[in-house]
Amino acid sequence: MQYNPATDIEKIIVSEAEIETQVKRLGKMISADYADTDADLVCVGMLNGAAIFFSDLVRRIETCPIVFDFMRASSYGDGTVSSERVVIERDLSVDINEKHLLLIEDIVDSGITMKHILEYLRHKNPRPASIKVCALLSKPSRRRVEVPIDYLGLEVPDEFLIGYGMDYAKKYRNLPYIGVLKREIYDENVKR
Ligand code: PRP
């Protein structure tokens, strides 16, 4: 496959400037909400897609001490939509006892990954003090299970998105904007 982001994308759907606006807005909301907490805020980035959003967002949270951690979950299915089977491939590595958890995702699509992660974390022992979710993007038209998104950037239409952490065939994650991949670049058995 020839790699040329400039011609592989149909359009930019979220510009760098809009991403920055959303990251600042979300950072302000989170900063305000956790300003009076005594416990650490454990920011959990969902690998790999949330890596870039995570690193931008945590730099905008200014009112409480932050601990970093990362999880990775993969879903397995027929490739056209997220399947029901979610496997946690990387678990938390820090102490979450009585800590506030903020799960940071690039996108909530069917909701199946986040629902599974939330159920898993709610049954952890020892328990966190609270669990909230921050997602840069949501595709409501693709939702199969409801999940709470406490801090949401933007709702987006059901298109194949790449950039700012999101990939096609493991590439394009480093694009500084979010674009729609041209249909001719991907085959039909894709998830996003
Ligand atoms: C993407 C995204 C979410 C998940 C959302 O991850 O980062 O974790 O899909 O989909 P869902 O709401 O339908 O469950 P993906 O599995 O593509 O892996 P990645 O983060 O490594 O890109």
Side-chain angles (χ1 to χ4, degrees):
M1 154 180 134
Q2 285 287 336
Y3 174 82
N4 185 348
T7 54
D8 294 348
I9 63 163
E10 193 178 293
K11 60 184 173 189
I12 292 176
I13 196 168
V14 190
S15 67
E16 286 186 67
E18 179 61 21
I19 291 171
E20 192 182 342
T21 299
Q22 293 302 326
V23 170
K24 280 186 186 165
R25 184 177 66 82
L26 293 169
K28 261 192 188 158
M29 289 169 64
I30 294 164
S31 296
D33 287 357
Y34 291 94
D36 297 325
T37 182
D38 292 331
D40 292 345
L41 176 61
V42 180
C43 289
V44 181
M46 300 301 302
L47 299 172
N48 291 336
I52 294 177
F53 177 47
F54 178 94
S55 74
D56 282 346
L57 182 68
V58 293
R59 283 178 283 178
R60 298 288 177 184
I61 303 174
E62 295 162 346
T63 52
C64 60
I66 287 179
V67 172
F68 285 10
D69 207 350
F70 298 92
M71 291 182 77
R72 176 169 175 77
S74 288
S75 54
Y76 295 92
D78 60 14
T80 53
V81 291
S82 296
S83 76
E84 304 290 336
R85 204 162 81 83
V86 177
V87 174
I88 294 176
E89 296 177 340
R90 186 199 192 280
D91 203 344
L92 293 173
S93 60
V94 301
D95 175 21
I96 57 167
N97 188 21
E98 291 305 312
K99 305 271 173 28
H100 296 294
L101 255 57
L102 179 64
L103 304 181
I104 299 176
E105 259 292 21
D106 52 338
I107 187 163
V108 175
D109 191 312
S110 70
I112 288 169
T113 304
M114 187 50 74
K115 184 180 164 63
H116 183 93
I117 294 287
L118 285 170
E119 275 171 12
Y120 174 74
L121 292 175
R122 281 177 189 139
H123 290 94
K124 271 237 180 216
N125 198 5
R127 285 173 179 231
S130 69
I131 307 175
K132 285 191 176 183
V133 175
C134 176
L136 178 62
L137 305 178
S138 171
K139 278 183 184 170
S141 61
R142 297 258 300 176
R143 205 70 95 244
R144 288 172 62 193
V145 292
E146 279 316 306
V147 289
I149 304 178
D150 302 282
Y151 306 99
L152 174 64
L154 299 166
E155 291 192 346
V156 286
D158 183 13
E159 294 185 282
F160 196 120
L161 304 182
I162 53 166
Y164 201 68
M166 294 179 288
D167 73 311
Y168 168 59
K170 306 195 186 340
K171 291 183 270 289
Y172 302 100
R173 291 193 197 269
N174 58 317
L175 300 183
Y177 49 79
I178 295 164
V180 176
L181 191 64
K182 279 184 184 162
R183 184 166 285 271
E184 67 218 49
I185 305 291
Y186 60 92
D187 62 38
E188 284 176 4
N189 292 320
V190 291
K191 179 177 162 194
R192 192 181 275 130

